[in-house]
Amino acid sequence: ALLDQEPDDDRSGRRTLRAPLGVGPVGVVAVDLVADGPHALVAGTTGAGKSELLRTWVASLAARHPPTAVAFVLVDYKGGSAFDACARLPHVTGVVTDLDAGLGERLLTGLRAEVRDRESQLRAAGVGDLRDLGDGPARLVVVIDEFATLAAELPDFLGALVDVARRGRS
């Protein structure tokens, strides 16, 4: 029933990236990566359900929005199976497990190239945000499981990733 709802448009008629995560005391609990984002951090202790929440969010976004609207890069830092069930979704453009410094640099190179390409498309269209680009590229969502461990063990990667996220915000 949660996923049967039609995708939402904002007040200007532009498509949002709203996805329900569950039902709470006041009804459907949903997060919109356009209106509420574009960044999110899920925190909790070991066993709290962070990975399950991330999988639910990815699946919910994929169920409500086509691959032309949202694409995922899934990073499972500890190399487990956090995103195995999501990896086959047509929205997934990459899955990274067992991230190390070398693989991290390759991932950053790809993300930087994607940001440069999107910036070029925005400049060519004379707009400042993907929402204004019309049939532009899908929103790219990078989902990282075990972010805290990644930050502690690969601090250089974290700093570079934050830079990419800052530049790629729009």
Side-chain angles (χ1 to χ4, degrees):
L2 285 177
L3 297 176
D4 292 338
Q5 304 168 20
E6 288 296 315
D8 302 307
D9 293 337
D10 67 11
R11 290 186 178 137
S12 67
R14 296 180 293 200
R15 184 61 41 102
T16 69
L17 276 183
R18 186 172 190 267
L21 294 176
V23 178
V26 294
V28 175
V29 176
V31 177
D32 184 340
L33 281 173
V34 174
D36 301 325
H39 304 107
L41 178 65
V42 177
T45 60
T46 300
K50 298 177 301 293
S51 297
E52 289 80 4
L53 179 64
L54 291 173
R55 277 193 301 272
T56 299
W57 201 356
V58 168
S60 183
L61 280 163
R64 291 191 37 117
H65 304 281
T68 56
V70 64
F72 301 103
V73 173
L74 306 174
V75 179
D76 187 355
Y77 177 67
K78 285 175 44 174
S81 57
F83 296 120
D84 285 354
C86 299
R88 295 181 306 274
L89 291 168
H91 304 70
V92 176
T93 61
V95 178
V96 178
T97 60
D98 295 323
L99 188 69
D100 61 19
L103 188 53
E105 190 54 43
R106 287 180 58 201
L107 174 61
L108 287 170
T109 298
L111 289 173
R112 287 179 185 125
E114 184 66 26
V115 168
R116 281 192 305 273
D117 180 58
R118 289 166 183 250
E119 287 172 339
S120 176
Q121 290 180 51
L122 292 171
R123 269 193 307 280
V127 296
D129 193 293
L130 283 176
R131 290 183 291 188
D132 302 321
L133 199 51
D135 290 333
R139 295 268 177 172
L140 182 62
V141 179
V142 179
V143 184
I144 302 173
D145 194 32
E146 299 299 337
F147 185 82
T149 306
L150 181 147
E153 294 181 12
L154 296 175
D156 292 341
F157 174 82
L158 178 63
L161 183 64
V162 168
D163 181 59
V164 167
R166 191 178 312 133
R167 289 187 46 228
R169 182 184 185 281
S170 57

